[in-house]
Structure formats: C-alpha cells, structure tokens
Amino acid sequence: MTDVKAELREQFMDAFGGADFPVQNQMDLVPALPDGPATKFEAGDVSFTAMELAAKLGSDQDFPYDTAEELVDDVLEALESKDLI
C-alpha cells in the first residue's frame, strides 16, 4: 500500500469511524466529520475536502455501508480507479 493511500485510509477511518452505522447515504456521514463537508483529507500531494470526495465519487459508492472499513475500502478503490491517488 502506498504511503498516500495508507495516510488517507487512516484519515478516512478517523473521520468516518464516528458515523452512526449503517449509513444510508452521504448525508449520514456529515455529522461525524469534524468540519462537516469542509473536512479536508491530505496526503502527499493530494488533497480533498469531504464535499469534493462526495462529488467525485458519488456514483462509485454503494450505499448502505454497515462499517467504516467497508466505506473506506470503497472510497480508496474509487480514488484509485479514477487515478486520483
């Protein structure tokens, strides 16, 4: 796993881990985010806000998610498939 991917995984788990799972849609994640949609994730030379992630990956997400791990795995997979990381 690349350093960027590992760093992002850790940040995503910290941010989304506090959500009330299962989550049915992106809006269910907002209360868990420290800065809401403006929460920023940065690793290496990549940077995304939660809102940017939602816009870029909305069609790649397969809600509902039962765990943070499931959600984070999907987010990272989608970022890789779109060559964003």
Side-chain angles (χ1 to χ4, degrees), residues 11-84:
Q11 291 176 40
F12 292 157
M13 288 300 298
D14 286 346
F16 299 130
D20 187 16
F21 286 89
V23 292
Q24 302 300 318
N25 55 54
Q26 292 173 341
M27 293 308 295
D28 286 349
L29 297 168
V30 173
L33 298 172
D35 294 322
T39 299
K40 188 171 269 195
F41 304 100
E42 297 177 293
D45 60 352
V46 298
S47 175
F48 306 100
T49 64
M51 186 175 290
E52 289 170 330
L53 283 175
K56 291 176 189 288
L57 306 180
S59 62
D60 294 295
Q61 293 182 299
D62 189 22
F63 286 95
Y65 290 100
D66 293 323
T67 66
E69 291 82 7
E70 224 181 296
L71 169 67
V72 170
D73 287 346
D74 250 17
V75 168
L76 290 170
E77 184 178 308
L79 288 171
E80 282 185 315
S81 73
K82 293 179 180 278
D83 290 325
L84 296 172

